[in-house]
């Protein structure tokens, strides 16, 4: 086995590109294959199709070691470890759609020189089922735990690396584990099903933490406590930890909604009703809708009211709008008869088609102009920099602000004459 072995990455989406760039940074030759020819051509020209801090620079820095191709043969002849980074979107039933993974398995066939290293999030049992059909092909489960916006640094500084193989002693498993040695993180060697479950359970647990603190926030509103203080006090308990205790208008994104629902379905399909996750999902849905109630509390009927949504992306530092709370809010407001305008520093292009009947603005001030109420949906730093006391307030028809992320200075806004509604405070 050479010191730095060449690697294949299948799928040049968000996970694939981050994986390819980071392994190239670790001085591996990387053969990255995608079926979309225009994307591959763009990548060869040095154009990066997604917005992820640090990624474009890392791809550029390592361009000599990165080879983009549409031909699986190129990856197969150059590398033995092939990282599967294709997406597994949710189906209508909430199960994961594995058709892209299946297509990759089909293409690789039964080669015993190669191992498929699964980074895509798949249901527990997928590895076993693939191995049953392609017994000669090596198989390693190596789930990703990357957060959008910090994916490059998450890859280079992981809390842990999970490597799942059917047999405890697996040459392919050893080789995958060795790739991560320079990162100095704990490596969890386990069986394939447990590795698959670690990924789903981690995301489901984090989503549970968010729904839990959101319910504490809702009760705090009734009882006069401040959830940001509660979370601070709780989070200092090491057993609880301070992360993912920010109350808000619910979680979104490409992973949590999908993975929580996939685990719930998976449990259900095996005959177990996962009650807790059912509640986690329901709390998240209701949390988005509570915002509408907060506007109605002050404005009465929303028919004909001008409402500004600040932020469209599901969180800051990304242009991703998958499962973004903004989309649910905009659609609900439109159906309540409100006139909705939105602004986001990077995400409106991606959201344009999804924001039916909504006016897209070029600046926050434009969105606030003449508004009867505004909702802060995404905590982009520029929303803190707005001149709330001055121009922002002057532009609004009525200074009503629902801060869906507890992001702004409530005292400052109130002293400036705003009606300020946070979440749980
Ligand atoms: C998540 C996981 O963190 C990552 O490990 C996994 O691989 C993919 O899914 P990501 O979807 O990029 O990453 O975003 P994350 O930063 O985890 O936030 C998810 C959602 O939860 C966002 O909508 C965010 O606004 C919300 N959130 C997060 C809260 O509402 N409160 C919190 O305290 C933290």
């Amino acid at each position: 086995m050479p010191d730095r072995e060449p690697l294949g990455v299948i799928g040049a989406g968000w996970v694939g590109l981050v994986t390819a760039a980071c392994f190239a940074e670790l001085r591996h030759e990387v053969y990255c294959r995608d079926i979309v020819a225009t994307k591959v051509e763009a990548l060869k020209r040095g154009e990066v199709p997604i917005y992820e801090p640090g990624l474009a620079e890392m791809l550029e820095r390592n361009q000599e070691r990165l080879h983009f191709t549409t031909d699986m043969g190129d990856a197969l002849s150059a590398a033995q470890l092939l990282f599967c980074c294709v997406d597994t979107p949710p189906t209508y039933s909430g199960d994961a759609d594995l058709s892209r993974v299946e297509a990759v398995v089909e293409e690789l066939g039964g080669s015993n020189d190669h191992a498929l290293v699964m980074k895509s999030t798949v249901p527990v049992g997928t590895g076993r089922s693939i191995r049953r059909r392609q017994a000669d092909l090596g198989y390693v489960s190596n789930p990703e735990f990357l957060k959008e916006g910090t994916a490059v640094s998450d890859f280079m500084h992981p809390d842990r690396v999970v490597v799942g193989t059917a047999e405890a002693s697996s040459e392919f498993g050893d080789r995958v584990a060795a790739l991560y040695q320079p990162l100095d993180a704990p490596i969890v060697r386990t069986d394939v099903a447990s590795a698959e479950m670690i990924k789903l359970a981690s995301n489901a647990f984090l989503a549970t933490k968010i729904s839990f603190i959101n319910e504490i926030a809702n009760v705090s509103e009734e009882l006069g406590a401040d959830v940001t203080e509660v979370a601070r006090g709780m989070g200092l308990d090491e057993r609880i930890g301070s992360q993912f205790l920010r109350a808000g208008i619910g979680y979104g994104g490409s992973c949590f909604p999908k993975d929580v629902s996939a685990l719930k379905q998976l449990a259900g399909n095996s005959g177990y009703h996962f009650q807790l996750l059912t509640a986690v999902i329901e709390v998240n849905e209701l949390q988005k809708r509570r915002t509408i109630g907060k506007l109605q509390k002050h404005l009465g009927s929303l028919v004909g009211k001008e409402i500004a949504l600040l932020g469209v992306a599901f969180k800051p530092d990304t242009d991703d709008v998958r499962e973004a709370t903004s989309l649910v809010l905009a659609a609900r407001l439109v159906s309540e008869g409100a006139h909705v305008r939105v602004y986001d520093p990077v995400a409106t292009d991606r959201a344009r088609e999804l924001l039916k009947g909504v006016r897209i603005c070029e600046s926050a001030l434009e969105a606030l102009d003449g508004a009867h109420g505004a909702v802060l949906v995404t905590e982009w730093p520029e929303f803190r920099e707005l001149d709330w006391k001055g121009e922002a307030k002057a532009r609004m028809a009525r200074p009503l602000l629902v801060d869906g992320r507890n992001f702004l200075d409530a005292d400052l806004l109130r002293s400036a004459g705003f009606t300020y509604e946070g979440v749980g405070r």
Side-chain angles (χ1 to χ4, degrees), residues 360-411:
I360 293 179
C361 300
E362 297 300 317
S363 71
L365 286 175
E366 185 192 335
L368 293 173
D369 201 63
H372 298 103
V375 184
L376 188 139
V377 184
T378 315
E379 59 274 43
W380 284 105
E382 71 167 76
F383 297 147
R384 242 186 211 150
E385 309 305 320
L386 276 175
D387 177 13
W388 286 104
K389 280 182 163 175
E391 190 163 9
K393 184 175 172 226
R395 289 265 192 128
M396 292 182 74
R398 182 172 169 161
L400 166 62
L401 191 91
V402 180
D403 183 353
R405 299 287 176 189
N406 290 336
F407 184 60
L408 302 174
D409 184 336
D411 293 339

Side-chain angles (χ1 to χ4, degrees), residues 83-98:
F83 286 81
C84 182
C85 301
V86 297
D87 58 339
T88 53
T91 61
Y92 287 116
S93 62
D95 296 287
D97 174 358
L98 292 179

Side-chain angles (χ1 to χ4, degrees), residues 29-188:
E29 294 290 321
V30 179
Y31 295 79
C32 184
R33 185 274 191 150
D34 199 283
I35 49 173
V36 181
T38 48
K39 185 190 270 188
V40 169
E41 287 313 313
L43 284 162
K44 281 185 178 168
R45 288 195 300 273
E47 293 163 21
V48 185
I50 52 167
Y51 174 77
E52 181 62 37
L55 179 63
E57 294 83 344
M58 192 178 261
L59 287 169
E60 196 191 335
R61 201 162 54 237
N62 294 290
Q63 53 181 309
E64 281 179 7
R65 279 188 289 273
L66 283 159
H67 314 277
F68 295 102
T69 175
T70 51
D71 187 353
M72 184 71 100
D74 291 347
L76 283 171
S77 54
Q80 293 184 317
L81 296 178
L82 301 157
F83 286 81
C84 182
C85 301
V86 297
D87 58 339
T88 53
T91 61
Y92 287 116
S93 62
D95 296 287
D97 174 358
L98 292 179
S99 56
R100 295 170 181 83
V101 170
E102 293 299 345
V104 171
V105 173
E106 205 56 39
E107 271 185 285
L108 296 186
S111 158
N112 55 9
D113 287 338
H114 294 90
L116 184 63
V117 187
M118 190 59 70
K119 277 230 170 277
S120 306
T121 302
V122 294
V124 181
T126 304
R128 194 180 48 202
S129 134
I130 291 174
R131 280 175 43 81
R132 221 182 269 138
R133 279 171 294 142
Q134 301 285 15
D136 291 335
L137 182 68
Y139 189 89
V140 181
S141 169
N142 177 220
E144 54 87 13
F145 299 97
L146 309 173
K147 297 185 290 300
E148 291 187 31
T150 54
V152 170
S153 125
D154 289 346
F155 190 102
M156 301 305 275
H157 308 281
D159 288 340
R160 77 310 206 180
V161 172
V162 174
V163 177
T165 48
E167 287 90 27
S169 73
S170 148
E171 195 223 314
F172 282 128
D174 294 346
R175 281 162 65 180
V176 171
L179 301 176
Y180 294 97
Q181 223 70 58
L183 303 182
D184 203 20
I187 293 181
V188 181

Side-chain angles (χ1 to χ4, degrees), residues 144-148 199 203 206 210 244-246 250-252 255-256 314-315 405:
E144 54 87 13
F145 299 97
L146 309 173
K147 297 185 290 300
E148 291 187 31
K199 165 71 196 216
N203 274 357
L206 292 170
I210 298 171
F244 284 73
L245 276 186
R246 274 180 289 115
Y251 59 79
C255 287
F256 283 0
F314 84 96
K315 66 174 194 179
R405 299 287 176 189

